[in-house]
PDB file of all heavy atoms in Angstrom:
ATOM      1  N   LEU I 272      58.613 -18.494   2.361  1.00 98.00           N
ATOM      2  CA  LEU I 272      58.952 -18.485   0.926  1.00 98.00           C
ATOM      3  C   LEU I 272      59.333 -17.101   0.371  1.00 98.00           C
ATOM      4  O   LEU I 272      60.357 -16.992  -0.324  1.00 98.00           O
ATOM      5  CB  LEU I 272      57.810 -19.111   0.107  1.00 98.00           C
ATOM      6  CG  LEU I 272      57.996 -19.117  -1.408  1.00 98.00           C
ATOM      7  CD1 LEU I 272      59.188 -19.982  -1.820  1.00 98.00           C
ATOM      8  CD2 LEU I 272      56.726 -19.613  -2.115  1.00 98.00           C
ATOM      9  N   PRO I 273      58.570 -16.035   0.644  1.00 98.00           N
ATOM     10  CA  PRO I 273      58.925 -14.748   0.014  1.00 98.00           C
ATOM     11  C   PRO I 273      60.349 -14.296   0.364  1.00 98.00           C
ATOM     12  O   PRO I 273      61.099 -13.854  -0.520  1.00 98.00           O
ATOM     13  CB  PRO I 273      57.877 -13.771   0.576  1.00 98.00           C
ATOM     14  CG  PRO I 273      56.705 -14.647   0.920  1.00 98.00           C
ATOM     15  CD  PRO I 273      57.303 -15.939   1.399  1.00 98.00           C
ATOM     16  N   GLU I 274      60.733 -14.466   1.645  1.00 98.00           N
ATOM     17  CA  GLU I 274      62.072 -14.041   2.034  1.00 98.00           C
ATOM     18  C   GLU I 274      63.141 -14.940   1.400  1.00 98.00           C
ATOM     19  O   GLU I 274      64.188 -14.462   0.954  1.00 98.00           O
ATOM     20  CB  GLU I 274      62.189 -14.061   3.562  1.00 98.00           C
ATOM     21  CG  GLU I 274      63.305 -13.182   4.057  1.00 98.00           C
ATOM     22  CD  GLU I 274      63.381 -13.199   5.581  1.00 98.00           C
ATOM     23  OE1 GLU I 274      62.330 -12.982   6.229  1.00 98.00           O
ATOM     24  OE2 GLU I 274      64.483 -13.459   6.098  1.00 98.00           O
ATOM     25  N   GLN I 275      62.866 -16.249   1.336  1.00 98.00           N
ATOM     26  CA  GLN I 275      63.828 -17.158   0.686  1.00 98.00           C
ATOM     27  C   GLN I 275      63.960 -16.817  -0.799  1.00 98.00           C
ATOM     28  O   GLN I 275      65.069 -16.808  -1.336  1.00 98.00           O
ATOM     29  CB  GLN I 275      63.360 -18.614   0.825  1.00 98.00           C
ATOM     30  CG  GLN I 275      63.484 -19.157   2.234  1.00 98.00           C
ATOM     31  CD  GLN I 275      62.757 -20.485   2.406  1.00 98.00           C
ATOM     32  OE1 GLN I 275      61.880 -20.844   1.615  1.00 98.00           O
ATOM     33  NE2 GLN I 275      63.115 -21.207   3.460  1.00 98.00           N
ATOM     34  N   ASN I 276      62.836 -16.527  -1.451  1.00 98.00           N
ATOM     35  CA  ASN I 276      62.898 -16.157  -2.876  1.00 98.00           C
ATOM     36  C   ASN I 276      63.731 -14.892  -3.082  1.00 98.00           C
ATOM     37  O   ASN I 276      64.504 -14.803  -4.034  1.00 98.00           O
ATOM     38  CB  ASN I 276      61.482 -15.947  -3.442  1.00 98.00           C
ATOM     39  CG  ASN I 276      60.862 -17.244  -3.973  1.00 98.00           C
ATOM     40  OD1 ASN I 276      61.559 -18.249  -4.143  1.00 98.00           O
ATOM     41  ND2 ASN I 276      59.573 -17.220  -4.228  1.00 98.00           N
ATOM     42  N   SER I 277      63.579 -13.908  -2.187  1.00 98.00           N
ATOM     43  CA  SER I 277      64.357 -12.667  -2.305  1.00 98.00           C
ATOM     44  C   SER I 277      65.844 -12.927  -2.109  1.00 98.00           C
ATOM     45  O   SER I 277      66.680 -12.388  -2.835  1.00 98.00           O
ATOM     46  CB  SER I 277      63.911 -11.640  -1.258  1.00 98.00           C
ATOM     47  OG  SER I 277      62.572 -11.313  -1.459  1.00 98.00           O
ATOM     48  N   GLU I 278      66.165 -13.757  -1.121  1.00 98.00           N
ATOM     49  CA  GLU I 278      67.571 -14.058  -0.856  1.00 98.00           C
ATOM     50  C   GLU I 278      68.195 -14.802  -2.038  1.00 98.00           C
ATOM     51  O   GLU I 278      69.317 -14.495  -2.469  1.00 98.00           O
ATOM     52  CB  GLU I 278      67.665 -14.896   0.423  1.00 98.00           C
ATOM     53  CG  GLU I 278      69.078 -15.065   0.935  1.00 98.00           C
ATOM     54  CD  GLU I 278      69.131 -15.867   2.234  1.00 98.00           C
ATOM     55  OE1 GLU I 278      68.088 -15.968   2.934  1.00 98.00           O
ATOM     56  OE2 GLU I 278      70.214 -16.405   2.531  1.00 98.00           O
ATOM     57  N   ARG I 279      67.446 -15.758  -2.582  1.00 98.00           N
ATOM     58  CA  ARG I 279      67.959 -16.496  -3.744  1.00 98.00           C
ATOM     59  C   ARG I 279      68.173 -15.549  -4.926  1.00 98.00           C
ATOM     60  O   ARG I 279      69.183 -15.645  -5.648  1.00 98.00           O
ATOM     61  CB  ARG I 279      66.995 -17.627  -4.123  1.00 98.00           C
ATOM     62  CG  ARG I 279      67.068 -18.827  -3.184  1.00 98.00           C
ATOM     63  CD  ARG I 279      66.179 -19.981  -3.636  1.00 98.00           C
ATOM     64  NE  ARG I 279      64.784 -19.759  -3.355  1.00 98.00           N
ATOM     65  CZ  ARG I 279      64.052 -20.488  -2.497  1.00 98.00           C
ATOM     66  NH1 ARG I 279      64.595 -21.496  -1.846  1.00 98.00           N
ATOM     67  NH2 ARG I 279      62.791 -20.205  -2.294  1.00 98.00           N
ATOM     68  N   ALA I 280      67.223 -14.629  -5.140  1.00 98.00           N
ATOM     69  CA  ALA I 280      67.330 -13.718  -6.277  1.00 98.00           C
ATOM     70  C   ALA I 280      68.530 -12.783  -6.104  1.00 98.00           C
ATOM     71  O   ALA I 280      69.264 -12.519  -7.064  1.00 98.00           O
ATOM     72  CB  ALA I 280      66.043 -12.916  -6.442  1.00 98.00           C
ATOM     73  N   ALA I 281      68.754 -12.302  -4.883  1.00 98.00           N
ATOM     74  CA  ALA I 281      69.885 -11.394  -4.643  1.00 98.00           C
ATOM     75  C   ALA I 281      71.200 -12.112  -4.917  1.00 98.00           C
ATOM     76  O   ALA I 281      72.096 -11.563  -5.582  1.00 98.00           O
ATOM     77  CB  ALA I 281      69.837 -10.867  -3.206  1.00 98.00           C
ATOM     78  N   ASN I 282      71.323 -13.343  -4.447  1.00 98.00           N
ATOM     79  CA  ASN I 282      72.574 -14.082  -4.677  1.00 98.00           C
ATOM     80  C   ASN I 282      72.723 -14.504  -6.138  1.00 98.00           C
ATOM     81  O   ASN I 282      73.841 -14.568  -6.654  1.00 98.00           O
ATOM     82  CB  ASN I 282      72.664 -15.282  -3.739  1.00 98.00           C
ATOM     83  CG  ASN I 282      72.995 -14.839  -2.319  1.00 98.00           C
ATOM     84  OD1 ASN I 282      73.772 -13.902  -2.132  1.00 98.00           O
ATOM     85  ND2 ASN I 282      72.399 -15.467  -1.336  1.00 98.00           N
ATOM     86  N   ALA I 283      71.599 -14.769  -6.809  1.00 98.00           N
ATOM     87  CA  ALA I 283      71.655 -15.091  -8.239  1.00 98.00           C
ATOM     88  C   ALA I 283      72.181 -13.889  -9.020  1.00 98.00           C
ATOM     89  O   ALA I 283      72.954 -14.038  -9.976  1.00 98.00           O
ATOM     90  CB  ALA I 283      70.275 -15.498  -8.752  1.00 98.00           C
ATOM     91  N   GLU I 284      71.804 -12.690  -8.596  1.00 98.00           N
ATOM     92  CA  GLU I 284      72.301 -11.493  -9.288  1.00 98.00           C
ATOM     93  C   GLU I 284      73.805 -11.320  -9.070  1.00 98.00           C
ATOM     94  O   GLU I 284      74.530 -10.920  -9.984  1.00 98.00           O
ATOM     95  CB  GLU I 284      71.520 -10.253  -8.840  1.00 98.00           C
ATOM     96  CG  GLU I 284      70.188 -10.168  -9.574  1.00 98.00           C
ATOM     97  CD  GLU I 284      69.201  -9.179  -8.946  1.00 98.00           C
ATOM     98  OE1 GLU I 284      69.649  -8.182  -8.332  1.00 98.00           O
ATOM     99  OE2 GLU I 284      67.981  -9.423  -9.088  1.00 98.00           O
ATOM    100  N   VAL I 285      74.266 -11.630  -7.866  1.00 98.00           N
ATOM    101  CA  VAL I 285      75.715 -11.598  -7.602  1.00 98.00           C
ATOM    102  C   VAL I 285      76.421 -12.583  -8.533  1.00 98.00           C
ATOM    103  O   VAL I 285      77.409 -12.247  -9.202  1.00 98.00           O
ATOM    104  CB  VAL I 285      76.000 -11.957  -6.120  1.00 98.00           C
ATOM    105  CG1 VAL I 285      77.500 -12.162  -5.890  1.00 98.00           C
ATOM    106  CG2 VAL I 285      75.451 -10.875  -5.191  1.00 98.00           C
ATOM    107  N   LEU I 286      75.878 -13.791  -8.617  1.00 98.00           N
ATOM    108  CA  LEU I 286      76.471 -14.813  -9.464  1.00 98.00           C
ATOM    109  C   LEU I 286      76.429 -14.404 -10.940  1.00 98.00           C
ATOM    110  O   LEU I 286      77.401 -14.591 -11.677  1.00 98.00           O
ATOM    111  CB  LEU I 286      75.719 -16.137  -9.236  1.00 98.00           C
ATOM    112  CG  LEU I 286      76.417 -17.456  -9.528  1.00 98.00           C
ATOM    113  CD1 LEU I 286      77.830 -17.512  -8.967  1.00 98.00           C
ATOM    114  CD2 LEU I 286      75.575 -18.612  -8.982  1.00 98.00           C
ATOM    115  N   ASP I 287      75.315 -13.802 -11.366  1.00 98.00           N
ATOM    116  CA  ASP I 287      75.204 -13.296 -12.753  1.00 98.00           C
ATOM    117  C   ASP I 287      76.370 -12.380 -13.093  1.00 98.00           C
ATOM    118  O   ASP I 287      77.003 -12.520 -14.134  1.00 98.00           O
ATOM    119  CB  ASP I 287      73.912 -12.475 -12.930  1.00 98.00           C
ATOM    120  CG  ASP I 287      72.693 -13.336 -13.222  1.00 98.00           C
ATOM    121  OD1 ASP I 287      72.851 -14.547 -13.473  1.00 98.00           O
ATOM    122  OD2 ASP I 287      71.567 -12.789 -13.188  1.00 98.00           O
ATOM    123  N   SER I 288      76.629 -11.408 -12.212  1.00 98.00           N
ATOM    124  CA  SER I 288      77.651 -10.428 -12.569  1.00 98.00           C
ATOM    125  C   SER I 288      79.043 -11.049 -12.501  1.00 98.00           C
ATOM    126  O   SER I 288      79.919 -10.683 -13.294  1.00 98.00           O
ATOM    127  CB  SER I 288      77.539  -9.165 -11.711  1.00 98.00           C
ATOM    128  OG  SER I 288      77.588  -9.507 -10.359  1.00 98.00           O
ATOM    129  N   LEU I 289      79.271 -11.998 -11.606  1.00 98.00           N
ATOM    130  CA  LEU I 289      80.584 -12.663 -11.557  1.00 98.00           C
ATOM    131  C   LEU I 289      80.803 -13.554 -12.775  1.00 98.00           C
ATOM    132  O   LEU I 289      81.870 -13.541 -13.384  1.00 98.00           O
ATOM    133  CB  LEU I 289      80.703 -13.502 -10.281  1.00 98.00           C
ATOM    134  CG  LEU I 289      80.804 -12.715  -8.967  1.00 98.00           C
ATOM    135  CD1 LEU I 289      80.686 -13.662  -7.783  1.00 98.00           C
ATOM    136  CD2 LEU I 289      82.117 -11.943  -8.902  1.00 98.00           C
TER     137      LEU I 289
END
Side-chain angles (χ1 to χ4, degrees):
L272 178 64
E274 201 179 309
Q275 289 168 341
N276 272 347
S277 299
E278 190 178 340
R279 284 184 283 245
N282 285 323
E284 280 165 29
V285 170
L286 204 46
D287 276 350
S288 55
L289 290 171

